[in-house]
Amino acid sequence: MTRLSRQSLASLLPEIRRPGYDASGVSIGIVHLGIGAFHRAHQAVYTDDVLARDLSWGICGVSLRSADTRDALGPQDDLYTLKVQDGSGEQLRVIASVVETLVAPESPEAVLARMADPATRIVSLTITEKGYCHNPATGALDENHPSVLHDLQNPGRPKSAPGFIVEALAQRRSANVPPFTLLSCDNLPSNGHVLKRVIVRFAQLRSKELGDFVRGVSAPSTMIDRIVPATTDADREAVAAALGMTDAWPVATEPFSQWVIEDDFPLGRPAWDTAGAVFVTDVSVYENMKLRLLNGSHSTLAYLGVLAGAETVAEAMAIDGMRDLIEGLMRDEASPTLPVLSGFDLPAYRRDLIARFNNPALRHKTMQIAMDGSQKLPQRLLNTIRDRIAAGQLYPAMALGVAAWIGYVSRRDRNGDIIKVNDPLAGRIASCLQATTSPGERVDAMLGLSDVFGQDLPHNAAFRKSLIQSLSAIEVDGASHAVKSHRVLFDL
Ligand code: CS2
């Protein structure tokens, strides 16, 4: 079978949507760190929508770790297929906004050269929470992070995103090139501020002058939203059958897509607004709404789902009592902690979320969402719980979600050893849990992780009790039963 490429584009079946511009005329204006499926289903699509207006905003996609994406997309001129699907069917579209893919560990100099190039006006990121090398509870740079230590010693061959950004800015400064705009597209509250804080500190550790320069960089915050499960072989086969040609790495996603961005781009930006992005002066309300409702529910669904044997989010939603639990988490626990957004229909937003979680076509794996819990829980559940505590209110569904995380990371293999999960704190989590013999001991061991729970929550007796009660219910009767009976679990 033919492979998707610029040359084969002409022979695509007519019903497949294709770029409305000549891909060979596109030049690079954006370097994107973390060219995974999420970026390719979100920012790259908004960019593809508007490239015809200005061909100078093409994307150079950088992988900070593996060569997989470059190896898959390189031979097909970086073209790939977007498959948008729900219960009513699917639509395919070929995206051409990515025009170069680089692998940072193979060629850090090439990545730095691209970032330092005056034509690069935006450096955007989807590097996941852990890529920020920060303390998730405080948001400050983790100055003992192995990659940070490495990058301070080897500025010309960095490994971490902060290391690349600061070195590229240092090169721009020496060459008298103004700094690019930094655009964090990760699921962190005030993601621009978090990024800025991390890189300013990193730069200060290199020199005071560089710190001052980096302080002047613009880093607007964004709220990004689209559910993008990892691509499966079944997706590849379905795409090949529909295209009549192979695509080594298509991306499957849902119809819903949202992007809210603070409009602070000193060197300009693509006309993403004409593709549906919304520009605002302060994105934090949108971010917290999305993190607390969507992602807080997602993590709760993921941990309870894995423990109850549900492979996908839609299967987890089908567990008896789960819909009620998730609706309660969003409506009764998270929503009252959010400021009112005038003109915004919050109940409709919650209803849409339930429908999105129920999308039967996506097969979004609970195990995918379950990873990196130590980096996700603070902004998804724990900050909401803090607000509830401060207001003297209860948080039964969220306590069950946090307890399910503890249940998930406490699972043991046949030899009785804690199974290491996919999480940067996995080693610490496994060693603190190994000798525990009861839900109470497990909760106390986990509360000792101040990077996750901060200094306040571990000392809150009611919070601790709620976790022990919830985890006991999960361990004694099973996660499905705990979901079904969650309303009576929490007695303070
Ligand atoms: C998910 C998110 O994997 C996860 O942790 O909760 O990636 C989620 O699908 C996106 O934030 C949706 O916009």
Side-chain angles (χ1 to χ4, degrees), residues 38 187 224-228 290 294-295 298 356 364 368-369 376 380:
F38 183 78
N187 279 319
I224 41 113
D225 188 8
R226 194 165 215 185
I227 294 175
V228 188
K290 190 250 169 179
L294 188 159
N295 298 110
H298 246 180
R356 292 170 66 196
H364 194 192
Q368 183 183 342
I369 302 169
K376 293 174 174 175
R380 295 181 176 208

PDB file of all heavy atoms in Angstrom, residues 38 187 224-228 290 294-295 298 356 364 368-369 376 380, ligand 1:
ATOM      1  N   PHE A  38      -1.346  14.554  21.710  1.00  0.00           N
ATOM      2  CA  PHE A  38      -2.183  15.669  22.131  1.00  0.00           C
ATOM      3  C   PHE A  38      -1.941  16.914  21.262  1.00  0.00           C
ATOM      4  O   PHE A  38      -2.871  17.526  20.747  1.00  0.00           O
ATOM      5  CB  PHE A  38      -2.001  16.026  23.620  1.00  0.00           C
ATOM      6  CG  PHE A  38      -2.939  17.132  23.987  1.00  0.00           C
ATOM      7  CD1 PHE A  38      -4.275  16.862  24.216  1.00  0.00           C
ATOM      8  CD2 PHE A  38      -2.522  18.449  23.983  1.00  0.00           C
ATOM      9  CE1 PHE A  38      -5.181  17.877  24.450  1.00  0.00           C
ATOM     10  CE2 PHE A  38      -3.425  19.480  24.221  1.00  0.00           C
ATOM     11  CZ  PHE A  38      -4.747  19.185  24.460  1.00  0.00           C
ATOM     12  N   ASN A 187      -1.660  20.759  31.328  1.00  0.00           N
ATOM     13  CA  ASN A 187      -2.766  20.815  32.276  1.00  0.00           C
ATOM     14  C   ASN A 187      -2.333  21.270  33.657  1.00  0.00           C
ATOM     15  O   ASN A 187      -2.399  20.511  34.623  1.00  0.00           O
ATOM     16  CB  ASN A 187      -3.372  19.410  32.414  1.00  0.00           C
ATOM     17  CG  ASN A 187      -4.313  19.095  31.279  1.00  0.00           C
ATOM     18  OD1 ASN A 187      -5.083  19.942  30.850  1.00  0.00           O
ATOM     19  ND2 ASN A 187      -4.242  17.858  30.805  1.00  0.00           N
ATOM     20  N   ILE A 224      -6.377  24.317  27.602  1.00  0.00           N
ATOM     21  CA  ILE A 224      -6.471  23.493  26.401  1.00  0.00           C
ATOM     22  C   ILE A 224      -7.350  22.298  26.715  1.00  0.00           C
ATOM     23  O   ILE A 224      -7.310  21.770  27.815  1.00  0.00           O
ATOM     24  CB  ILE A 224      -5.072  23.001  25.981  1.00  0.00           C
ATOM     25  CG1 ILE A 224      -4.267  22.583  27.212  1.00  0.00           C
ATOM     26  CG2 ILE A 224      -4.291  24.068  25.247  1.00  0.00           C
ATOM     27  CD1 ILE A 224      -3.956  21.216  27.330  1.00  0.00           C
ATOM     28  N   ASP A 225      -8.143  21.897  25.774  1.00  0.00           N
ATOM     29  CA  ASP A 225      -9.017  20.763  26.064  1.00  0.00           C
ATOM     30  C   ASP A 225      -9.380  19.977  24.810  1.00  0.00           C
ATOM     31  O   ASP A 225     -10.000  20.512  23.885  1.00  0.00           O
ATOM     32  CB  ASP A 225     -10.305  21.266  26.754  1.00  0.00           C
ATOM     33  CG  ASP A 225     -11.160  20.115  27.264  1.00  0.00           C
ATOM     34  OD1 ASP A 225     -10.703  18.961  27.220  1.00  0.00           O
ATOM     35  OD2 ASP A 225     -12.289  20.388  27.721  1.00  0.00           O
ATOM     36  N   ARG A 226      -8.982  18.748  24.805  1.00  0.00           N
ATOM     37  CA  ARG A 226      -9.449  17.768  23.827  1.00  0.00           C
ATOM     38  C   ARG A 226      -9.016  16.398  24.359  1.00  0.00           C
ATOM     39  O   ARG A 226      -7.856  16.250  24.771  1.00  0.00           O
ATOM     40  CB  ARG A 226      -8.839  18.016  22.442  1.00  0.00           C
ATOM     41  CG  ARG A 226      -9.557  17.235  21.364  1.00  0.00           C
ATOM     42  CD  ARG A 226      -9.237  17.711  19.954  1.00  0.00           C
ATOM     43  NE  ARG A 226     -10.421  17.572  19.127  1.00  0.00           N
ATOM     44  CZ  ARG A 226     -10.455  17.812  17.826  1.00  0.00           C
ATOM     45  NH1 ARG A 226      -9.384  18.252  17.206  1.00  0.00           N
ATOM     46  NH2 ARG A 226     -11.565  17.634  17.141  1.00  0.00           N
ATOM     47  N   ILE A 227      -9.902  15.445  24.339  1.00  0.00           N
ATOM     48  CA  ILE A 227      -9.542  14.118  24.842  1.00  0.00           C
ATOM     49  C   ILE A 227      -8.876  13.333  23.706  1.00  0.00           C
ATOM     50  O   ILE A 227      -9.461  13.172  22.627  1.00  0.00           O
ATOM     51  CB  ILE A 227     -10.778  13.392  25.398  1.00  0.00           C
ATOM     52  CG1 ILE A 227     -11.291  14.145  26.638  1.00  0.00           C
ATOM     53  CG2 ILE A 227     -10.445  11.944  25.732  1.00  0.00           C
ATOM     54  CD1 ILE A 227     -12.584  13.614  27.226  1.00  0.00           C
ATOM     55  N   VAL A 228      -7.640  12.902  23.965  1.00  0.00           N
ATOM     56  CA  VAL A 228      -6.845  12.253  22.917  1.00  0.00           C
ATOM     57  C   VAL A 228      -6.241  10.952  23.464  1.00  0.00           C
ATOM     58  O   VAL A 228      -5.167  10.963  24.067  1.00  0.00           O
ATOM     59  CB  VAL A 228      -5.703  13.177  22.432  1.00  0.00           C
ATOM     60  CG1 VAL A 228      -5.023  12.576  21.208  1.00  0.00           C
ATOM     61  CG2 VAL A 228      -6.214  14.575  22.113  1.00  0.00           C
ATOM     62  N   LYS A 290     -11.713  23.739  34.061  1.00  0.00           N
ATOM     63  CA  LYS A 290     -11.410  22.518  33.311  1.00  0.00           C
ATOM     64  C   LYS A 290     -10.634  21.512  34.161  1.00  0.00           C
ATOM     65  O   LYS A 290     -10.942  20.325  34.179  1.00  0.00           O
ATOM     66  CB  LYS A 290     -10.627  22.915  32.052  1.00  0.00           C
ATOM     67  CG  LYS A 290     -10.462  21.796  31.063  1.00  0.00           C
ATOM     68  CD  LYS A 290      -9.054  21.334  30.989  1.00  0.00           C
ATOM     69  CE  LYS A 290      -8.912  20.049  30.201  1.00  0.00           C
ATOM     70  NZ  LYS A 290      -7.543  19.605  30.117  1.00  0.00           N
ATOM     71  N   LEU A 294     -13.192  18.554  34.602  1.00  0.00           N
ATOM     72  CA  LEU A 294     -12.827  17.471  33.665  1.00  0.00           C
ATOM     73  C   LEU A 294     -11.712  16.589  34.244  1.00  0.00           C
ATOM     74  O   LEU A 294     -11.874  15.385  34.414  1.00  0.00           O
ATOM     75  CB  LEU A 294     -12.392  18.053  32.314  1.00  0.00           C
ATOM     76  CG  LEU A 294     -12.179  17.028  31.182  1.00  0.00           C
ATOM     77  CD1 LEU A 294     -12.274  17.696  29.828  1.00  0.00           C
ATOM     78  CD2 LEU A 294     -10.885  16.255  31.262  1.00  0.00           C
ATOM     79  N   ASN A 295     -10.569  17.205  34.543  1.00  0.00           N
ATOM     80  CA  ASN A 295      -9.433  16.381  34.931  1.00  0.00           C
ATOM     81  C   ASN A 295      -9.619  15.758  36.322  1.00  0.00           C
ATOM     82  O   ASN A 295      -9.184  14.628  36.559  1.00  0.00           O
ATOM     83  CB  ASN A 295      -8.132  17.177  34.848  1.00  0.00           C
ATOM     84  CG  ASN A 295      -7.832  17.655  33.431  1.00  0.00           C
ATOM     85  OD1 ASN A 295      -7.902  18.828  33.132  1.00  0.00           O
ATOM     86  ND2 ASN A 295      -7.514  16.734  32.531  1.00  0.00           N
ATOM     87  N   HIS A 298     -11.687  12.868  35.608  1.00  0.00           N
ATOM     88  CA  HIS A 298     -10.907  11.882  34.864  1.00  0.00           C
ATOM     89  C   HIS A 298     -10.028  11.040  35.789  1.00  0.00           C
ATOM     90  O   HIS A 298      -9.991   9.820  35.680  1.00  0.00           O
ATOM     91  CB  HIS A 298      -9.989  12.619  33.874  1.00  0.00           C
ATOM     92  CG  HIS A 298     -10.342  12.365  32.450  1.00  0.00           C
ATOM     93  ND1 HIS A 298      -9.642  12.934  31.423  1.00  0.00           N
ATOM     94  CD2 HIS A 298     -11.296  11.596  31.866  1.00  0.00           C
ATOM     95  CE1 HIS A 298     -10.170  12.538  30.272  1.00  0.00           C
ATOM     96  NE2 HIS A 298     -11.171  11.733  30.529  1.00  0.00           N
ATOM     97  N   ARG A 356     -19.056  13.420  26.997  1.00  0.00           N
ATOM     98  CA  ARG A 356     -17.719  13.149  26.466  1.00  0.00           C
ATOM     99  C   ARG A 356     -17.107  11.919  27.144  1.00  0.00           C
ATOM    100  O   ARG A 356     -16.463  11.099  26.495  1.00  0.00           O
ATOM    101  CB  ARG A 356     -16.819  14.382  26.657  1.00  0.00           C
ATOM    102  CG  ARG A 356     -17.242  15.561  25.783  1.00  0.00           C
ATOM    103  CD  ARG A 356     -16.508  16.828  26.165  1.00  0.00           C
ATOM    104  NE  ARG A 356     -15.076  16.739  25.887  1.00  0.00           N
ATOM    105  CZ  ARG A 356     -14.163  17.572  26.399  1.00  0.00           C
ATOM    106  NH1 ARG A 356     -14.531  18.557  27.213  1.00  0.00           N
ATOM    107  NH2 ARG A 356     -12.894  17.419  26.096  1.00  0.00           N
ATOM    108  N   HIS A 364     -10.775   5.462  25.622  1.00  0.00           N
ATOM    109  CA  HIS A 364      -9.715   6.168  26.357  1.00  0.00           C
ATOM    110  C   HIS A 364      -9.361   5.336  27.581  1.00  0.00           C
ATOM    111  O   HIS A 364     -10.177   5.131  28.467  1.00  0.00           O
ATOM    112  CB  HIS A 364     -10.251   7.546  26.764  1.00  0.00           C
ATOM    113  CG  HIS A 364      -9.201   8.497  27.216  1.00  0.00           C
ATOM    114  ND1 HIS A 364      -9.495   9.677  27.850  1.00  0.00           N
ATOM    115  CD2 HIS A 364      -7.858   8.446  27.139  1.00  0.00           C
ATOM    116  CE1 HIS A 364      -8.372  10.318  28.133  1.00  0.00           C
ATOM    117  NE2 HIS A 364      -7.375   9.583  27.711  1.00  0.00           N
ATOM    118  N   GLN A 368      -4.023   4.979  31.008  1.00  0.00           N
ATOM    119  CA  GLN A 368      -3.322   6.148  30.433  1.00  0.00           C
ATOM    120  C   GLN A 368      -3.484   7.355  31.355  1.00  0.00           C
ATOM    121  O   GLN A 368      -2.528   8.083  31.640  1.00  0.00           O
ATOM    122  CB  GLN A 368      -3.893   6.458  29.037  1.00  0.00           C
ATOM    123  CG  GLN A 368      -3.166   7.622  28.356  1.00  0.00           C
ATOM    124  CD  GLN A 368      -3.768   8.004  26.985  1.00  0.00           C
ATOM    125  OE1 GLN A 368      -4.499   7.235  26.361  1.00  0.00           O
ATOM    126  NE2 GLN A 368      -3.456   9.191  26.515  1.00  0.00           N
ATOM    127  N   ILE A 369      -4.683   7.551  31.837  1.00  0.00           N
ATOM    128  CA  ILE A 369      -4.938   8.711  32.706  1.00  0.00           C
ATOM    129  C   ILE A 369      -4.322   8.499  34.088  1.00  0.00           C
ATOM    130  O   ILE A 369      -3.925   9.451  34.762  1.00  0.00           O
ATOM    131  CB  ILE A 369      -6.459   8.950  32.819  1.00  0.00           C
ATOM    132  CG1 ILE A 369      -7.053   9.170  31.428  1.00  0.00           C
ATOM    133  CG2 ILE A 369      -6.772  10.144  33.725  1.00  0.00           C
ATOM    134  CD1 ILE A 369      -8.563   9.156  31.396  1.00  0.00           C
ATOM    135  N   LYS A 376      -0.393  15.117  39.058  1.00  0.00           N
ATOM    136  CA  LYS A 376      -1.714  15.578  38.635  1.00  0.00           C
ATOM    137  C   LYS A 376      -2.648  15.904  39.799  1.00  0.00           C
ATOM    138  O   LYS A 376      -3.474  16.816  39.697  1.00  0.00           O
ATOM    139  CB  LYS A 376      -2.375  14.490  37.774  1.00  0.00           C
ATOM    140  CG  LYS A 376      -1.692  14.247  36.437  1.00  0.00           C
ATOM    141  CD  LYS A 376      -2.316  13.057  35.709  1.00  0.00           C
ATOM    142  CE  LYS A 376      -1.748  12.889  34.303  1.00  0.00           C
ATOM    143  NZ  LYS A 376      -2.241  11.677  33.624  1.00  0.00           N
ATOM    144  N   ARG A 380      -5.808  18.813  40.348  1.00  0.00           N
ATOM    145  CA  ARG A 380      -7.075  18.216  39.925  1.00  0.00           C
ATOM    146  C   ARG A 380      -8.041  17.997  41.090  1.00  0.00           C
ATOM    147  O   ARG A 380      -9.244  18.138  40.942  1.00  0.00           O
ATOM    148  CB  ARG A 380      -6.812  16.871  39.242  1.00  0.00           C
ATOM    149  CG  ARG A 380      -6.052  17.029  37.968  1.00  0.00           C
ATOM    150  CD  ARG A 380      -5.812  15.700  37.282  1.00  0.00           C
ATOM    151  NE  ARG A 380      -5.160  15.939  36.000  1.00  0.00           N
ATOM    152  CZ  ARG A 380      -5.256  15.157  34.950  1.00  0.00           C
ATOM    153  NH1 ARG A 380      -5.956  14.047  35.024  1.00  0.00           N
ATOM    154  NH2 ARG A 380      -4.647  15.463  33.839  1.00  0.00           N
TER     155      ARG A 380
HETATM  156  C1  CS2 B   1      -6.323  13.248  31.019  1.00  0.00           C
HETATM  157  C2  CS2 B   1      -6.102  14.437  30.104  1.00  0.00           C
HETATM  158  O1  CS2 B   1      -4.481  11.813  30.702  1.00  0.00           O
HETATM  159  C3  CS2 B   1      -5.038  12.590  31.477  1.00  0.00           C
HETATM  160  O2  CS2 B   1      -4.606  12.801  32.597  1.00  0.00           O
HETATM  161  O3  CS2 B   1      -7.080  13.659  32.120  1.00  0.00           O
HETATM  162  O4  CS2 B   1      -5.114  14.219  29.186  1.00  0.00           O
HETATM  163  C4  CS2 B   1      -7.392  14.855  29.406  1.00  0.00           C
HETATM  164  O5  CS2 B   1      -7.820  13.889  28.482  1.00  0.00           O
HETATM  165  C5  CS2 B   1      -7.222  16.173  28.706  1.00  0.00           C
HETATM  166  O6  CS2 B   1      -6.806  17.132  29.637  1.00  0.00           O
HETATM  167  C6  CS2 B   1      -8.516  16.612  28.042  1.00  0.00           C
HETATM  168  O7  CS2 B   1      -8.374  17.912  27.594  1.00  0.00           O
END
